[in-house]
Amino acid sequence: MNALKSEWLKLVSVRTTWALLVAMILIEGLTAGLVTGLSDVDDLRTRDVATLANGTKLAIVFMFTLGALLSTNEFRHGTANSTFVVTPKRERVIAAKLVVGLVVGIAGALLYIAVNAGLGLSILSSRGVDVDADTAVDTYLGVGIGLVLGCLFGVALGALLRNQILTVVTGMVLFLLAGTAALFIGNDVGQYFPGESLLALNGTPGADDVLLSQTEGGLVLGAYCVVLGALGMVLTRQREIS
Amino acid sequence: MAEIAVQRLTKRYGETLAVDDLSFTVDAGRVTGFLGPNGSGKSTTLRALLGLIRPTSGTALVMGRPFHELEKPVEAVGAALDAHDVHPGRSGRGHLRTIAAAAGIPNSRVDEVLDMVELTPARDRRVKGYSMGMRQRLALGAALLGDPKILMLDEPANGLDPQGMRWLRDILVALAAEGRAVLISSHVLSEVEQTVDSVVVIGAGRLVMQGSLADLVKGDRRPILVRSPQADELRALLVQAGASVGPDGRPDAMIVHRSSLETVGTLAAEHGIAIFELTHERATLEDRFLELTGESGNVR
């Protein structure tokens, strides 16, 4: 419990946390507003609620970074020294970071959904576009879980790589580039990359033939988090802090 | 039982031997200076004691146990490794609260410690605006949170102004007087010589000496600065007595090697020579270290 409280304090006591969340919400609000407000009505009708999941890939950048900072700030700013002197059972620290990542991930996802649904759905309805309620629930569930997993992915990858810039760059490549590039050159393995798993989880339309199903996408992304998190814990235990 | 016991500690990084078969002990109730030139293995030794790195061989024990086996590490050891080890965007108080929370220490203790290190007026300011001296105080504050029996401070005087040095000296002496073991590292002897009771001197990862400060200064061969209106006469007498005398740049002053303050003073008195100044040149620990070991340089 002590490690958990400490990690929570670390998260909320720096402005970057709030800046990232606010930036995500602002950009998200803007995207949802613009896409629903400016797109062709017929287009919107065809795509249904999926229009609103468009901004998730951008939001994942913020949530991943938030998670990555939770782990890598320790090494970026040298606080790993006092952290691991005070808590020599280092796996507890990483576990606490993952729990905090889960909590802030859920909070971020709820905020995201509130803004996205509140703004996007009301604009859609004002333009006379009805969305299918079941699809909307599925989409938002996928989007929400995606954001939470994105944040956990950041914590876990950060614990593994330690270097802040390396972690953020690796994350961006994995979420935004690698899978797309693999699929582009016709390699099916691309659908198992974090970015593509996330798209599948979000229920991205018209991509059923290239992407995994929504459930599969979620399971693959979740598996990444579990494996990386476990590896992060084991390595943090074994590695030297110098 | 010694509070800190390093036994045949060796730490190797690839080809580099950072600590080489080092043994020493640190007792409670005194301030022990852990001295050595930069790169001599001081920080590596402290990290091994704190369980942050694993010894290649040998042991580094705190209260008779490896660090990770201590039941309540914060109550046993308070450590400050680097005053820069703090998130610049956090306030001083926020920084200490994160550490206190991890150790199960109440926030009231944070404010108490901030008071001790005289940072209360700046406690809510972000650390990025702190001076080096303030960061050193904050690091000491963090080390004191658990009211530990042992304090390990790596270069705590680094970046302190003269008032800060005096403050640090007073607080460390007081903490040791309460029965704590205080181990402070430094690469500058003059920085700590008024604070420490005993010293552990290392060079190139090896123990050079362990003893009292008096032991270290005994046989001091630092150059002597002499200033006299009869400089030429004194110079001749000193050379005759076997010392080697070099110029200082001023006509009435000289630098004397291979002699002692006592010899120069007595010689001058015997010959009715007035002395305006007679003192050891200030020397860094590197100088003393080189004298002690006869080695040149510590870059390995």
Side-chain angles (χ1 to χ4, degrees):
Chain A
M1 270 321 272
N2 288 343
L4 208 56
K5 188 178 168 202
S6 176
E7 292 307 324
W8 180 254
L9 281 176
K10 284 177 194 170
L11 177 81
V12 298
S13 63
V14 291
R15 290 185 191 173
T16 323
T17 303
W18 308 110
L20 281 169
L21 283 173
V22 168
M24 180 183 80
I25 295 309
L26 285 179
I27 290 176
E28 171 42 32
L30 200 65
T31 316
L34 285 177
V35 172
T36 50
L38 300 179
S39 297
D40 181 67
V41 174
D42 289 336
D43 223 24
L44 288 174
R45 281 207 179 94
T46 322
R47 292 164 63 190
D48 203 327
V49 74
T51 308
L52 292 169
N54 263 345
T56 320
K57 218 164 172 176
L58 204 57
I60 203 80
V61 172
F62 290 96
M63 293 311 289
F64 169 84
T65 306
L66 201 53
L69 293 186
L70 259 171
S71 293
T72 57
N73 267 346
E74 298 276 6
F75 299 95
R76 168 85 176 76
H77 300 294
T79 47
N81 285 332
S82 54
T83 297
F84 294 129
V85 166
V86 173
T87 313
K89 293 187 171 62
R90 298 181 198 166
E91 65 279 5
R92 284 190 189 172
V93 174
I94 304 301
K97 285 185 190 297
L98 286 166
V99 172
V100 168
L102 180 73
V103 173
V104 74
I106 291 173
L110 289 176
L111 265 174
Y112 176 94
I113 291 169
V115 172
N116 186 296
L119 198 64
L121 290 180
S122 55
I123 294 177
L124 282 183
S125 114
S126 75
R127 297 188 71 193
V129 179
D130 291 323
V131 295
D132 179 65
D134 287 346
T135 321
V137 170
D138 277 357
T139 303
Y140 280 123
L141 207 58
V143 165
I145 292 173
L147 289 173
V148 174
L149 290 178
C151 188
L152 287 174
F153 196 102
V155 177
L157 191 67
L160 204 61
L161 298 180
R162 305 204 279 193
N163 181 297
Q164 193 158 78
I165 293 171
L166 181 68
T167 304
V168 173
V169 171
T170 306
M172 294 306 104
V173 169
L174 289 176
F175 274 105
L176 303 178
L177 278 177
T180 317
L183 288 178
F184 183 73
I185 59 166
N187 194 334
D188 277 353
V189 80
Q191 64 189 338
Y192 296 101
F193 275 65
E196 275 34 51
S197 311
L198 180 75
L199 285 181
L201 175 59
N202 290 343
T204 303
D208 299 348
D209 48 339
V210 261
L211 294 180
L212 301 169
S213 73
Q214 198 176 21
T215 314
E216 287 168 345
L219 288 175
V220 169
L221 202 55
Y224 277 125
C225 294
V226 170
V227 171
L228 290 177
L231 219 54
M233 272 197 234
V234 171
L235 283 180
T236 305
R237 240 182 95 97
Q238 288 178 352
R239 281 196 289 216
E240 304 207 319
I241 312 293
S242 56
Chain B
M1 180 188 70
E3 301 294 278
I4 294 175
V6 173
Q7 283 281 335
R8 307 209 62 178
L9 179 70
T10 296
K11 180 64 187 176
R12 181 181 285 281
Y13 291 106
E15 290 294 296
T16 312
L17 206 51
V19 177
D20 183 7
D21 201 22
L22 179 66
S23 301
F24 67 88
T25 55
V26 175
D27 294 322
R30 51 203 298 145
V31 182
T32 302
F34 188 27
L35 309 174
N38 283 324
S40 56
K42 301 186 297 293
S43 298
T44 305
T45 305
L46 294 181
R47 282 179 182 276
L49 279 164
L50 294 168
L52 293 173
I53 60 172
R54 269 185 301 275
T56 306
S57 63
T59 54
L61 304 182
V62 173
M63 303 178 92
R65 297 190 204 178
F67 189 83
H68 66 269
E69 284 181 18
L70 292 171
E71 267 167 38
K72 290 186 174 167
V74 282
E75 289 176 20
V77 184
L81 288 180
D82 188 334
H84 289 104
D85 289 349
V86 47
H87 192 299
R90 223 166 257 145
S91 68
R93 196 190 204 180
H95 172 66
L96 293 190
R97 282 186 170 183
T98 62
I99 299 172
I105 293 167
N107 283 338
S108 56
R109 174 65 184 165
V110 169
D111 293 340
E112 216 174 280
V113 161
L114 281 164
D115 229 25
M116 278 174 81
V117 297
E118 297 174 10
L119 276 179
T120 302
R123 68 184 186 184
D124 294 320
R125 266 162 51 196
R126 288 197 285 167
V127 174
K128 71 165 74 162
Y130 279 23
S131 67
M132 186 59 192
M134 291 163 85
R135 284 174 189 236
Q136 288 285 21
R137 286 165 190 259
L138 186 64
L140 179 61
L144 289 172
L145 277 173
D147 197 12
K149 297 193 173 51
I150 299 169
L151 270 176
M152 283 187 218
L153 312 173
D154 201 359
E155 304 269 357
N158 215 355
L160 291 186
D161 56 18
Q163 290 95 326
M165 296 277 258
R166 171 170 293 184
W167 171 84
L168 179 70
R169 184 162 66 233
D170 291 347
I171 197 167
L172 292 181
V173 168
L175 288 165
E178 291 169 9
R180 288 173 233 267
V182 181
L183 180 66
I184 57 171
S185 81
S186 178
H187 64 285
V188 188
L189 177 60
S190 60
E191 209 172 63
V192 296
E193 62 190 344
Q194 288 177 289
T195 312
V196 300
D197 306 299
S198 53
V199 289
V200 173
V201 183
I202 68 169
R206 299 185 70 93
L207 184 72
V208 174
M209 68 152 291
Q210 168 163 26
S212 67
L213 194 61
D215 292 337
L216 179 67
V217 182
K218 196 164 63 190
D220 192 342
R221 295 185 179 280
R222 277 183 290 174
I224 297 160
L225 170 74
V226 190
R227 211 154 59 77
S228 161
Q230 294 139 277
D232 291 340
E233 196 182 333
L234 182 61
R235 184 176 296 120
L237 287 166
L238 283 166
V239 171
Q240 217 173 20
S244 75
V245 184
D248 166 75
R250 289 170 292 182
D252 65 340
M254 66 194 92
I255 304 293
V256 183
H257 294 267
R258 297 210 307 270
S259 189
S260 67
L261 296 176
E262 293 80 2
T263 310
V264 178
T266 311
L267 201 63
E270 281 171 359
H271 292 82
I273 294 172
I275 295 282
F276 291 167
E277 193 173 352
L278 176 59
T279 177
H280 276 303
E281 279 218 302
R282 287 192 79 79
T284 63
L285 187 71
E286 277 83 350
D287 297 332
R288 184 71 185 116
F289 168 78
L290 290 173
E291 280 174 36
L292 278 168
T293 62
E295 286 177 28
S296 56
N298 284 280
V299 177
R300 282 158 290 146

